[in-house]
Amino acid sequence: MHKDNPLLVGILLTVGAGIMFSGMDALGKHLTMLLPVIQVIWGRYFVQTVILTVYLSARTGTGFLRTRHPFLQILRGLILLATTFLMYEALKRVPLADATAVLFFSPIMVTILSVVVLRERIGPHRIAAVLAGFLGMMLILSPGFGTFHPALVLVLVAAVLNAVYLLLTRHLAGREDAAATQFNTTAAGAVILTLIVGPSWQTPDLGTGLLLVAIGSLGTIGHFVLVRAFAHAPASLLSPFLYSQVMGASLLSVALFGDPLRPAMMAGTVILVGSGVYIWWRENRQRLAAL
């Protein structure tokens, strides 16, 4: 099937990865009710790093340990760690759907940072899409309407950090070995968390321990599936289909945690996703026309 329509296969794999990531965050929200946040994140990072080490060792030997850009790799990993910490701190307090929707302000932030930091030029269409993204985010946050939760500010900061992480990932692509980048995504965080988790450690029971393994495994499998998706079609064409994570989070938020889907949140999510997809379309319309 992939020989006939590789883009379709890439889209399906990307949607699958987004659903896995929403399941991982749902597990994370559940685990933050049982264990300290830092221990939950340690489980995710430690398990993912162990799995990647075994897998990459079998494929490349020790090649994945060598990097041409150690500072950028460590910085990228630490930014992702900070993003994860803020997200999981927020998940203890706010609905999964709300937090995930705000986190997906990142693609809008990537456009803003591309202008501010990289001096890229954008036209009136993308400026309008960025403004629409802001409107959607404000609807989700709902400040002044009695439903705003301060913990959503943590997610907003996480969205900004995630945009920096995405820009660094984009910068390293083609300049760095993919295996090294894959390994360094969680390696620095796993080492740091292992060193500092001790004072907060609570010995989990068997079921909770298995969930810690599951959260790291879901994250690893999700990233593997995403990498396979990018082997079938360019990341620039597949990125909007990661919005499946927002849809998966909304369903899990209601089904598992009984969270209400507020009309303002739903409207804001539609606007935010729509603006992100529009920016994607403007950036890729010539390539799409050639398909």
Side-chain angles (χ1 to χ4, degrees):
M1 183 173 91
H2 64 86
K3 291 181 180 177
D4 298 325
N5 199 336
L7 178 59
L8 176 60
V9 176
I11 289 170
L12 292 174
L13 289 172
T14 304
V15 170
I19 292 171
M20 288 182 198
F21 291 144
S22 64
M24 178 187 68
D25 285 340
L27 264 181
K29 180 176 177 65
H30 175 69
L31 282 167
T32 58
M33 301 172 189
L34 306 174
L35 296 170
V37 168
I38 193 170
Q39 188 173 345
V40 176
I41 301 172
W42 170 85
R44 174 186 164 184
Y45 272 64
F46 184 79
V47 171
Q48 184 166 335
T49 303
V50 168
I51 294 173
L52 278 174
T53 300
V54 173
Y55 174 75
L56 293 174
S57 295
R59 283 194 63 196
T60 68
T62 58
F64 67 94
L65 296 173
R66 293 188 291 273
T67 171
R68 301 185 194 94
H69 306 278
F71 174 76
L72 288 180
Q73 289 285 16
I74 292 172
L75 178 63
R76 175 176 166 274
L78 293 179
I79 289 172
L80 182 62
L81 176 60
T83 301
T84 306
F85 179 78
L86 291 170
M87 180 69 173
Y88 280 37
E89 277 289 343
L91 283 175
K92 285 175 62 177
R93 302 168 175 87
V94 299
L96 174 64
D98 293 45
T100 305
V102 173
L103 186 65
F104 269 78
F105 185 62
S106 291
I108 309 295
M109 278 304 308
V110 167
T111 300
I112 295 170
L113 290 174
S114 295
V115 173
V116 175
V117 179
L118 303 179
R119 305 296 181 188
E120 293 182 4
R121 288 185 155 190
I122 62 172
H125 291 276
R126 279 205 278 172
I127 291 173
V130 167
L131 293 175
F134 269 114
L135 173 62
M137 184 192 64
M138 294 302 288
L139 280 171
I140 298 167
L141 294 175
S142 300
F145 296 100
T147 56
F148 173 70
H149 196 295
L152 284 175
V153 175
L154 298 178
V155 189
L156 186 56
V157 176
V160 176
L161 289 175
N162 193 51
V164 177
Y165 166 81
L166 292 172
L167 280 177
L168 282 173
T169 303
R170 191 169 85 181
H171 176 76
L172 286 167
R175 294 179 173 89
E176 181 68 274
D177 181 69
T181 298
Q182 205 173 3
F183 174 73
N184 281 287
T185 299
T186 57
V191 171
I192 292 170
L193 290 168
T194 299
L195 292 174
I196 66 174
V197 74
S200 305
W201 183 267
Q202 293 180 17
T203 302
D205 58 32
L206 178 60
T208 305
L210 290 174
L211 290 180
L212 281 175
V213 174
I215 193 174
S217 300
L218 262 179
T220 309
I221 295 168
H223 279 102
F224 273 128
V225 170
L226 200 56
V227 168
R228 289 304 306 154
F230 294 162
H232 288 284
S236 58
L237 292 183
L238 296 176
S239 56
F241 297 97
L242 273 173
Y243 283 113
S244 59
Q245 184 174 345
V246 180
M247 297 175 218
S250 298
L251 293 173
L252 291 171
S253 193
V254 173
L256 298 181
F257 303 105
D259 296 324
L261 290 180
R262 298 178 293 108
M265 178 266 173
M266 295 172 68
T269 299
V270 170
I271 294 172
L272 185 59
V273 170
S275 62
V277 170
Y278 183 75
I279 288 173
W280 164 81
W281 176 78
R282 290 289 299 181
E283 291 177 347
N284 293 280
R285 61 190 186 280
Q286 290 182 342
R287 183 181 292 183
L288 290 167
L291 291 177

